[in-house]
Every structure is written in structure tokens, then in C-alpha cells.
């Protein structure tokens, strides 16, 4: 039987190759191509400039021309929030923060977890506020670093107040000084509850020896806001003084920090 010609293929002829490549996989699905929808116009309330934009510029102008004395605390905070919350009216947020924490210092001293309880303040904004507070604390600390602490007493009080006045738990801090009364170290030795911090005189003296400190200043806060010393505060201070005295370490003072002031046990002649 005669055989007909056999179809052959070569590299130049691919039997399943299409003439035009498929644009994308969507062409394999049924249905007619849809015409693109015309863009939807934004509502007038969204397309128009937000009402607070002009307010922001006016507030910036007042600060630029007249300084901070022309602005209330909530307006200073509002200026800062402009950058932290760029697309929202920040006046209600600033006012709510001041109302919740009582003052500008109270806002920056508040724990981040409490800041986020205020409507409009998320974790990132709370973190930024705490970062700004840290910059302020470091700035105040630089004022007493490498200086004789006893001759810079007001700076010491300002620093301790900024660092501790708005803590929600008691905090026991020690300033370690060298023989010239220059600050060697500033350390938080303990954190306690709302009305008590355990303090161990032996550990206080041991740390002073490790740092070669010849004098110390004790500092702790009262979260209640009232810096009046308790009987326990006075007795504990006297125990530390006696333990330190045996090793030629001087306790210059014990300062108690409240939200609106401070008390010096030495100033009250209690030590």
C-alpha cells in the first residue's frame, strides 16, 4: 500500500503557536470586556480643603510672631500634634489630653498606655510624646552633669521633678556624687506600688562603694501628689544615713517629689 507524505515539523514550525500572544489570563474567562467606569466625583466635603488647615497656619503664625506666651498649653500641644497627626483636627485631641492629665507636664509624664486611652491617640503618637519627654529629661540632666550638684540645686530639683513627678508608682532614685559633689551616676534603685517602695540600706551603700561615691542624695516620689514625708520615709532615711556614715559616705538630703512641689527632709530639719 502506498504511503502518503508524512507531516513533519521543525524548530521553525511550532504547530500550537498562536499568531498573537495573549495579553493576560483574564481573556480566558467568559463575558464581554467591561468598559471602564468614569471616575466618581468626591463629595464636596472631601474635595474641599479641610476646615482646620487655615487654623493651623494661624496658630503657627501666632507662635512665630509672638512666641509661646501668646498660646495656651493646649495650643502648644496642638502645634506639636500637627506633625504627629497630619490629617485630622488636633484641637479636640489636645484639649482631651490636657483635661485627662491636668497639665502639659502631666501629658508628657503620663505612661504611654494611659495616653492611648485618649481618643485620637494611638500607639505611635503616644511613643512620639514619650520620646519628646525623654529629650526634655535628658536636656535637664545635662544641666547638672559635670557640675557641683549642691551649687546647682534648682537644676537638680527641676530634673527630678520632670523625671518623677508624674510617675504612677513610687520610684526610689539615688544621685551618686564624687568628693567634689559632682554627679557620677543617677540610678533608679527601686519601683514599688502607689504608696510604697522597698528600700534596702545595705544595697544603697554597696552601690555607692561600687561607684566610688563619697556622697549621695536620695529622691523618691509620691504618686498621690502630696510630698509630705511619712514616718516610714523619715525612719528609712535615718537608717541609710547611719549605714553610710560608717563607710564615710555622706547623705546630703532626701527629696520627696510631688506633682506640684517637693519637700527636703534636710530643709525640714528631719535629718
Amino acid at each position: 500500500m502506498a504511503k502518503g507524505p508524512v507531516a513533519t515539523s521543525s524548530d521553525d514550525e511550532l504547530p500550537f503557536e498562536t499568531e498573537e500572544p495573549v495579553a493576560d489570563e483574564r481573556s480566558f474567562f467568559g463575558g464581554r470586556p467591561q468598559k471602564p467606569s468614569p471616575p466618581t466625583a468626591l463629595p464636596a466635603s472631601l474635595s474641599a480643603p479641610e476646615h482646620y488647615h487655615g487654623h493651623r497656619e494661624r496658630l503657627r503664625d501666632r507662635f512665630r510672631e509672638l512666641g509661646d506666651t501668646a498660646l495656651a498649653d493646649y495650643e502648644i500641644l496642638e502645634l506639636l500634634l500637627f506633625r504627629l497627626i497630619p490629617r485630622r483636627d488636633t484641637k479636640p485631641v489636645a484639649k482631651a489630653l490636657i483635661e485627662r492629665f491636668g497639665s502639659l507636664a502631666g501629658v508628657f509624664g503620663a505612661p504611654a498606655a494611659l495616653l492611648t486611652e485618649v481618643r485620637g491617640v494611638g500607639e505611635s503618637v503616644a511613643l512620639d510624646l514619650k520620646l519628646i519627654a525623654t529629650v526634655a529629661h535628658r536636656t535637664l540632666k545635662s544641666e547638672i552633669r559635670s557640675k557641683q550638684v549642691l551649687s546647682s540645686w534648682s537644676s537638680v530639683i527641676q530634673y527630678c521633678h520632670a523625671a518623677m513627678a508624674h510617675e504612677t508608682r513610687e520610684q526610689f532614685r539615688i544621685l551618686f556624687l564624687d568628693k567634689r559633689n559632682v554627679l557620677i551616676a543617677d540610678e533608679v534603685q527601686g519601683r514599688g506600688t502607689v504608696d510604697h517602695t522597698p528600700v534596702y540600706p545595705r544595697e544603697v551603700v554597696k552601690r555607692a562603694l561600687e561607684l566610688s561615691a563619697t556622697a549621695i542624695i536620695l529622691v523618691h516620689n509620691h504618686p498621690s501628689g502630696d510630698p509630705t514625708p511619712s514616718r516610714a520615709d523619715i525612719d528609712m532615711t535615718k537608717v541609710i544615713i547611719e549605714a553610710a556614715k560608717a563607710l564615710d559616705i555622706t547623705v546630703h538630703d532626701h527629696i520627696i517629689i510631688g506633682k506640684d512641689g517637693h519637700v527636703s527632709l534636710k530643709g525640714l530639719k528631719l535629718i
Side-chain angles (χ1 to χ4, degrees), residues 121-178:
V121 178
E123 290 185 6
S124 61
V125 172
L127 181 63
D128 285 341
L129 290 174
K130 296 309 298 180
L131 177 60
I132 293 165
T134 299
V135 171
H137 295 168
R138 295 285 181 93
T139 301
L140 290 171
K141 189 174 182 178
S142 69
E143 293 297 315
I144 61 174
R145 196 187 301 269
S146 303
K147 294 182 180 178
Q148 288 190 342
V149 168
L150 299 183
S151 62
S152 306
W153 196 247
S154 62
S155 297
V156 172
I157 298 301
Q158 287 176 0
Y159 166 69
C160 292
H161 192 275
M164 306 173 68
H166 298 281
E167 288 286 332
T168 57
R169 296 186 299 164
E170 274 202 11
Q171 184 182 100
F172 188 77
R173 181 183 298 265
I174 304 176
L175 306 182
F176 297 94
L177 314 177
D178 66 12

Side-chain angles (χ1 to χ4, degrees), residues 29-36:
F29 296 93
R32 296 180 179 178
Q34 300 294 320
K35 294 181 180 179

Side-chain angles (χ1 to χ4, degrees), residues 28-106:
F28 289 103
F29 296 93
R32 296 180 179 178
Q34 300 294 320
K35 294 181 180 179
S37 302
T40 303
L42 291 173
S45 60
L46 295 180
S47 59
E50 295 290 354
H51 71 279
Y52 54 81
H53 287 173
H55 169 69
R56 290 187 170 195
E57 289 307 313
R58 289 191 296 272
L59 200 56
R60 288 191 181 104
D61 288 342
R62 283 173 56 200
F63 180 71
R64 186 183 301 112
E65 295 170 8
L66 303 174
D68 66 288
T69 56
L71 303 178
D73 281 358
Y74 81 87
E75 291 175 314
I76 293 291
L77 185 56
E78 192 182 351
L79 272 174
L80 177 62
L81 292 174
F82 288 169
R83 296 186 178 278
L84 307 185
I85 311 175
R87 290 179 293 277
R88 183 171 178 178
D89 183 2
T90 58
K91 181 187 285 187
V93 181
K95 286 188 171 182
L97 283 166
I98 295 291
E99 182 178 358
R100 171 69 185 276
F101 300 107
S103 66
L104 201 55

